[in-house]
Amino acid sequence: MSGYNPLLRLEQRAAEADQIIEFLKQQVHLLKEKAAAQASVKEEKKLMVENAKLKNDIEELKKQLLEKEKRRGVLEIAMPSGDTSVVCSSTVTPPNSSGAAPSGPVPAAAAAAASRKDGSKKTQEKKGGEKAEKKQAPPSQDNVKVDVSRLDLRVGRIISAEKHPDADSLYVEQVDVGEASPRTVVSGLVSHIPLAQMQNRLAVLLCNLKPAKMRGVTSQAMVMCASSPDKVEILDPPSGAQPGDRVMFQGFPGEPDKELNPKKKVWEQIQPDLRTDNQCVATYKGAAFEVAGKGVCKAQTMSNSGIK
């Protein structure tokens, strides 16, 4: 027992107590930090809930305001998506007795209304321009200027011809005009051209007249002839011309109508200017019936005569 030192023992216990106290301080500090963090998270969640509630309240108030303003005749201003504010501008302005513009800054609502109106006007102008462009489509053939380029004149070969079964003055011909199958053509040439001269010969044909029945037979083209009251001659294409070759006119470019509209009287307007010249060359307003690279179309003997 002589070796026991109470003072040393007390010192050891004091040191142990200090360690315990320091540990407890650290634990208390950690607990405080944890409690603060939990309080912060809890507060954040609480704020989020309150924010959502406020947002819903604002949306509800916005709807109520819009309904009331609509009933009062106030113009609603469209706002960008995501913006919870509402801007309205009244369409009624108090009269100004002096006639001068009101002084002071322009209200934001009025400025927004003016901006929206201007934007709407520009949008309408743009749409109007687009509609105008769509309306400015290429004009139909019916409205194009009337000249010989609208006639589908081609070289054709009369493969065969025979008398019309029900009309003594008509021939019925089968004519190759460069298509998959021959066209049937009815011509009133019996009194002018012998049947033998109608066989296997080249001619100029008008191919875009509307098909028409002649005494029960549908005619799909017309043989072009120099004509006078007492004489008719079929126009001869130039040497080397082939069925389907197009007859063109210098100075009158353009594509022919798919089919001439009888109501527009296109053929009737052009025909008076079709004539042979003093060399028997077929012309339109002085421009020759011409097959590109091959020559001009002519009557045999008839000069200065109409063509139909």
Side-chain angles (χ1 to χ4, degrees):
M1 296 296 291
S2 59
Y4 177 73
N5 189 342
L7 184 59
L8 179 61
R9 181 64 179 166
L10 287 172
E11 289 178 351
Q12 290 176 348
R13 286 178 178 251
E16 290 175 356
D18 288 340
Q19 290 177 357
I20 292 171
I21 290 170
E22 185 63 31
F23 174 75
L24 290 174
K25 285 182 179 180
Q26 292 177 356
Q27 291 297 315
V28 168
H29 180 70
L30 290 173
L31 287 172
K32 285 182 178 180
E33 289 183 346
K34 185 175 181 181
Q38 289 177 346
S40 176
V41 171
K42 185 177 180 180
E43 186 66 22
E44 182 179 354
K45 289 182 178 178
K46 181 180 178 181
L47 289 173
M48 289 176 66
V49 171
E50 291 180 353
N51 186 47
K53 184 175 182 301
L54 286 172
K55 189 173 181 180
N56 290 335
D57 291 343
I58 290 171
E59 289 294 331
E60 184 61 31
L61 289 172
K62 176 183 173 183
K63 291 178 181 178
Q64 294 177 10
L65 179 60
L66 287 175
E67 289 297 325
K68 290 180 180 179
E69 297 293 8
K70 283 180 181 178
R71 286 196 292 270
R72 288 171 51 197
V74 176
L75 177 66
E76 179 186 350
I77 307 301
M79 299 299 294
S81 59
D83 191 345
T84 57
S85 61
V86 178
V87 181
C88 295
S89 173
S90 175
T91 57
V92 180
T93 303
N96 190 338
S97 59
S98 65
S103 61
V106 178
S115 174
R116 182 172 180 269
K117 183 177 180 182
D118 185 61
S120 175
K121 183 177 179 182
K122 288 181 179 178
T123 303
Q124 289 175 356
E125 288 176 355
K126 183 177 180 183
K127 289 181 178 179
E130 290 175 355
K131 288 180 180 179
E133 288 178 3
K134 289 180 181 179
K135 287 181 181 178
Q136 291 174 359
S140 67
Q141 288 284 8
D142 291 342
N143 297 324
V144 176
K145 63 181 180 180
V146 177
D147 65 37
V148 75
S149 66
R150 296 182 63 177
L151 304 185
D152 183 6
L153 290 166
R154 302 186 218 166
V155 175
R157 180 178 294 279
I158 300 174
I159 301 169
S160 64
E162 59 185 15
K163 290 279 190 73
H164 192 295
D166 297 321
D168 294 338
S169 62
L170 301 178
Y171 286 133
V172 179
E173 305 114 39
Q174 297 301 312
V175 185
D176 177 7
V177 290
E179 297 172 339
S181 57
R183 291 195 185 195
T184 299
V185 180
V186 179
S187 305
L189 298 174
V190 172
S191 302
H192 306 284
I193 312 292
L195 183 59
Q197 293 180 20
M198 293 292 297
Q199 310 298 327
N200 194 32
R201 67 170 296 168
L202 291 176
V204 176
L205 285 101
L206 177 56
C207 295
N208 60 342
L209 288 173
K210 184 176 181 179
K213 276 193 174 184
M214 300 180 69
R215 300 293 293 272
V217 178
T218 300
S219 182
Q220 300 170 307
M222 182 170 72
V223 177
M224 301 300 292
C225 302
S227 177
S228 69
D230 55 356
K231 190 175 182 180
V232 173
E233 291 180 352
I234 295 175
L235 295 182
D236 288 328
S239 177
Q242 298 296 320
D245 285 349
R246 181 155 176 218
V247 177
M248 311 285 284
F249 298 82
Q250 192 74 27
F252 297 95
E255 291 299 315
D257 293 17
K258 184 176 181 181
E259 182 177 282
L260 296 176
N261 185 344
K263 294 180 181 179
K264 299 296 180 179
K265 305 292 183 182
V266 176
W267 163 246
E268 288 78 1
Q269 294 178 66
I270 296 171
Q271 190 275 325
D273 292 311
L274 301 176
R275 297 187 61 81
T276 59
D277 63 13
N278 56 9
Q279 300 294 320
C280 301
V281 175
T283 68
Y284 169 76
K285 293 186 176 180
F289 284 48
E290 185 175 359
V291 178
K294 296 176 182 177
V296 298
C297 304
K298 302 177 67 175
Q300 294 85 49
T301 63
M302 294 180 65
S303 61
N304 301 313
S305 300
I307 295 173
K308 59 183 180 179

